[in-house]
Amino acid sequence: MLDVIKKRRSIRDYNDQEISKSDLVTLCEAGLMAPSARNQNSKAFIIIEDKNLLKQLSKISPGARVLEKANKAIAVICPDVKGLLTENMVLEDLGAACENVLLEATNLNIGSCWIGIAPNEERMTLGKKILNLNDNEFLFALISLGYPIDDSAFYFKDKIKKELIRFM
Ligand SMILES: Cc1cc2nc3c(=O)[nH]c(=O)nc-3n(C[C@H](O)[C@H](O)[C@H](O)COP(=O)(O)O)c2cc1C
């Protein structure tokens, strides 16, 4: 597992290879397996295949431009934010779900990049409109997906600084 964690990178350049529907479903399954506060049902995933939608979403923010080149994307949402047991932990729940998707993508040699949406109101409003979400649905993030141009896109970037880890 640490091998996959170490080689996960934000990958923003993709080739034309199609990601299969079954791999896309596997990525969402990984997201659904993430922990959540009081095991609440806080997450759902929208697989975005439509190129026109990807183009519209790429305009949400400067950081979303990667979607112009993406093969597919996944929107990470909360399906019913008002119905949650612990609403104030929804960001943590959805962040954990995103990371699971990124790690499974790396495991399948699919390049991925987290595109931040929440808590930026402007991005959330724009994204919700493009994806036609209802009032109860909360758009947390988009994940851009595609096979990298070459496998060197997955590499170990050393972020491990001993002083950031302490025992007490
Ligand atoms: C909350 C969050 C929001 C992010 N938003 C964007 C974004 O909008 N566009 C983008 O290209 N990358 C985005 N990233 C990816 C970061 O830029 C990236 O994780 C960071 O530069 C470290 O690189 P690495 O993922 O390869 O380790 C985001 C990451 C996180 C965790």
Side-chain angles (χ1 to χ4, degrees):
M1 183 64 182
L2 196 57
D3 288 354
V4 173
I5 291 172
K6 281 183 169 175
K7 70 175 189 173
R8 183 212 55 79
R9 296 272 67 80
S10 294
I11 293 173
R12 302 178 178 89
D13 288 309
Y14 313 109
N15 65 27
D16 292 337
Q17 190 182 340
E18 284 294 320
I19 304 172
S20 71
K21 282 195 192 300
S22 72
D23 280 352
L24 290 163
V25 171
T26 300
L27 296 181
C28 297
E29 288 174 353
L32 286 170
M33 293 307 296
S36 62
R38 297 170 77 187
N39 201 22
Q40 58 185 352
N41 253 341
S42 46
K43 48 199 173 268
F45 302 88
I46 303 170
I47 297 166
I48 303 157
E49 301 187 282
D50 185 283
K51 295 285 181 211
N52 183 40
L53 275 180
L54 290 173
K55 197 170 171 191
Q56 289 181 57
L57 291 167
S58 74
K59 298 185 179 18
I60 284 184
S61 69
R65 282 186 55 188
V66 55
L67 291 170
E68 281 173 6
K69 296 173 275 179
N71 182 258
K72 302 284 183 300
I74 291 176
V76 181
I77 69 164
C78 173
D80 182 14
V81 81
K82 294 287 169 222
L84 293 177
L85 292 168
T86 311
E87 188 184 332
N88 63 1
M89 290 200 177
V90 70
L91 296 181
E92 288 89 331
D93 289 358
L94 295 173
C98 276
E99 183 66 3
N100 270 18
V101 174
L102 302 184
L103 291 176
E104 182 56 18
T106 306
N107 187 43
L108 296 172
N109 291 318
I110 296 168
S112 62
C113 183
W114 180 326
I115 296 162
I117 302 292
N120 181 301
E121 289 291 344
E122 196 183 325
R123 294 180 193 178
M124 288 162 70
T125 306
L126 257 169
K128 256 183 104 155
K129 200 168 162 204
I130 295 166
L131 295 171
N132 202 19
L133 301 187
N134 69 38
D135 285 347
N136 292 338
E137 290 171 321
F138 171 85
L139 176 61
F140 176 69
L142 298 165
I143 297 175
S144 172
L145 297 165
Y147 284 97
I149 287 168
D150 64 72
D151 271 359
S152 66
F154 299 105
Y155 68 96
F156 175 55
K157 178 156 74 181
D158 196 354
K159 302 180 181 186
I160 303 172
K161 308 226 172 352
K162 285 199 170 65
E163 66 272 20
L164 299 177
I165 304 172
R166 61 176 109 152
F167 290 91
M168 288 186 92

